[in-house]
Amino acid sequence: MFARVLAVANRKGGTGKSTVAVNLAAELGARGYHVLVADLDPQGHAGLGFGIEMPDASRTIHAAFRDEQVELAGAICATSEPGVDLIAADRNFDGRILLSDPRCLARAIAPIKPNYDVVPTRLAAGGRQSYRLRPARLGGRAGANRTRLSCT
Ligand SMILES: Nc1ncnc2c1ncn2[C@@H]1O[C@H](COP(=O)(O)OP(=O)(O)OP(=O)(O)O)[C@@H](O)[C@H]1O
Ligand SMILES: [Mg+2]
């Protein structure tokens, strides 16, 4: 089964997006899910949350946006949290490619999605980035109450 991709997004800065992404991933990992955190914010705070400070710029999620040949599997780092892997952000990513290729995220993670249950992606605040994502839903049984993470 393919991974469910969750976007943690809010245009306003400092509202807990990175904190939610890191802690949600750790909790899901502890519950037995195989989780990949894709840190889309060039500030790299989700990476920092897992102790990854200075990623190699050629081994980041943003490198895969620019170059379809990048082997994203080689950029995945294991974290100290059970079940949680991370792809770090490029600190110099300027967001320009998103204007011409808004589906670059979906394309970049497509080859590795089958290896995971959940992929929480942490989007940057501000108006420069415009990933084409639908609101995600968390929850289990049909008919059960569900928590909605808005992507707008
Ligand atoms: N539930 C919470 N209770 C108290 N403080 C929190 C909570 N969630 C996050 N914080 C704190 O709020 C601050 C901002 O959180 P965070 O960095 O996750 O926000 P952000 O939306 O990712 O910011 P940015 O837009 O800069 O990426 C941090 O200092 C964090 O520790
Ligand atoms: Mg943040």
Side-chain angles (χ1 to χ4, degrees), residues 5-84:
V5 180
L6 304 177
V8 182
N10 192 324
R11 288 177 75 93
K12 186 170 168 57
T15 49
K17 299 177 291 293
S18 299
T19 306
V20 167
V22 167
N23 286 280
L24 181 64
E27 177 63 26
L28 290 169
R31 293 186 187 199
Y33 291 96
H34 195 197
V35 184
L36 176 68
V37 177
D39 190 0
L40 299 177
D41 181 359
Q43 292 181 107
H45 288 167
L48 282 176
F50 288 106
I52 294 165
E53 295 190 19
M54 293 296 289
D56 176 347
S58 66
R59 300 178 64 199
T60 62
I61 185 76
H62 297 118
F65 289 1
R66 289 186 294 262
D67 180 0
E68 291 185 30
Q69 306 308 314
V70 165
E71 180 55 68
L72 207 52
I76 293 172
C77 316
T79 74
S80 56
E81 297 296 324
V84 182

Side-chain angles (χ1 to χ4, degrees), residues 9-13 17 41 93-96 98-99 122-131 151-152:
N10 192 324
R11 288 177 75 93
K12 186 170 168 57
K17 299 177 291 293
D41 181 359
F93 180 65
D94 62 13
R96 268 184 298 181
L98 301 174
L99 299 175
R122 166 21 204 134
L123 306 188
R128 278 191 311 166
Q129 302 194 354
S130 58
Y131 300 94
C151 297
T152 55

